[in-house]
Amino acid sequence: MKALVVGANGQIGKHLVTYIQESEKLEAKAMVRKKEQFPYFEEKNAEVALVDLEEDIDSIAKAAKDVDAVVFTAGSGPHTGKDKTIMIDLDGAVKTIEAAKKAGVKRFVMISSFDTRRQAIQDAPESFAPYVAAKHYADEWLRASNLDYTIVHPGLLTNDEGTGQITAGMDLDASEISREDVAKVLVACLENDKTIGKEFQIVNGNTAIEEAVGDL
């Protein structure tokens, strides 16, 4: 299975491409927006597509035309304004979903926020609420897309070394999880069709990733 990693140059994206390339079942195609970002992925023997997520649906669809799955890991980041939150976390996600449909790609895995339900928007701090709202509507669009989707809701992201063990489910207590382990969860989702049509939260835990994902 070849997977297009959207947001490949992000922290989770880089880990994900690495783990995909180490997998016997998967291969990665990294979507990045700058030519100077190519060498990192070329060193891992990953195919690279030059597309800015703020381009049109056709540009993204062209990158997705020869893949079997799309993984959306892109994010505007904590230091950008509401405008980038809308353009990347909402519009970028929706365009990628539509591009997958246009390219005939059925499998779609989405990194979301820990809780994107309506109440979470109301409860979020004022500065964080636009991000949660963007993720809420992006998730809604994916659920209604008829794609074979999986939505992953990670806890507070850290750069700690991954343990390979998590807790997965819904209505979990908010806690941390390493970006390495999030990337490993995404690989497990691609490798396990039982995750199709599922969404779940993940935090640090004591269950091996493959087992936690397989038991959902």
Side-chain angles (χ1 to χ4, degrees):
M1 177 189 287
K2 182 189 288 188
L4 178 68
V5 179
V6 178
N9 200 58
Q11 295 184 78
I12 291 174
K14 283 184 171 179
H15 288 308
L16 178 58
V17 171
T18 298
Y19 295 141
I20 286 177
Q21 291 301 90
E22 292 173 354
S23 167
E24 295 180 359
K25 301 178 183 178
L26 307 172
E27 60 177 306
K29 183 176 184 179
M31 191 176 110
V32 300
R33 62 188 180 93
K34 295 180 181 178
K35 193 78 174 178
E36 53 264 36
Q37 295 168 345
F38 276 42
Y40 177 89
F41 303 101
E42 289 173 338
E43 288 176 6
K44 298 181 181 300
N45 295 316
E47 188 178 349
V48 190
L50 183 64
V51 182
D52 191 318
L53 196 50
E54 294 189 55
E55 294 178 36
D56 58 22
I57 291 171
D58 286 344
S59 298
I60 303 169
K62 185 177 179 180
K65 68 179 180 179
D66 62 342
V67 304
D68 308 294
V70 174
V71 187
F72 189 88
T73 71
S76 58
H79 304 300
T80 57
K82 296 178 183 178
D83 55 341
K84 286 296 183 185
T85 299
I86 293 296
M87 297 310 297
I88 300 300
D89 298 286
L90 176 51
D91 192 52
V94 169
K95 285 191 298 188
T96 304
I97 292 164
E98 292 305 301
K101 290 160 66 174
K102 191 164 190 173
V105 181
K106 286 290 289 180
R107 189 73 173 101
F108 199 106
V109 181
M110 174 95 88
I111 281 285
S112 187
S113 186
F114 184 67
D115 190 346
T116 61
R117 289 168 288 195
R118 165 60 53 188
Q119 189 60 44
I121 303 173
Q122 309 300 122
D123 295 343
E126 184 177 351
S127 61
F128 194 58
Y131 174 78
V132 180
K135 291 295 190 183
H136 168 83
Y137 288 107
D139 290 353
E140 285 283 287
W141 196 277
L142 180 55
R143 293 185 197 105
S145 68
N146 290 319
L147 295 178
D148 293 337
Y149 73 84
T150 306
I151 303 174
V152 180
H153 299 274
L156 181 63
L157 299 170
T158 74
N159 287 323
D160 296 340
E161 185 176 349
T163 65
Q165 296 188 315
I166 61 167
T167 297
M170 287 303 291
D171 299 312
L172 301 181
D173 291 333
S175 185
E176 296 181 342
I177 187 165
S178 74
R179 289 178 172 87
E180 286 188 7
D181 281 337
V182 173
K184 289 176 182 176
V185 168
L186 297 176
V187 171
C189 289
L190 289 171
E191 293 181 338
N192 190 340
D193 285 348
K194 290 182 179 179
T195 61
I196 291 173
K198 303 278 183 68
E199 61 180 295
F200 52 92
Q201 296 169 326
I202 52 172
V203 296
N204 288 334
N206 299 308
T207 305
I209 286 172
E210 292 79 5
E211 181 182 346
V213 168
D215 287 344
L216 290 166

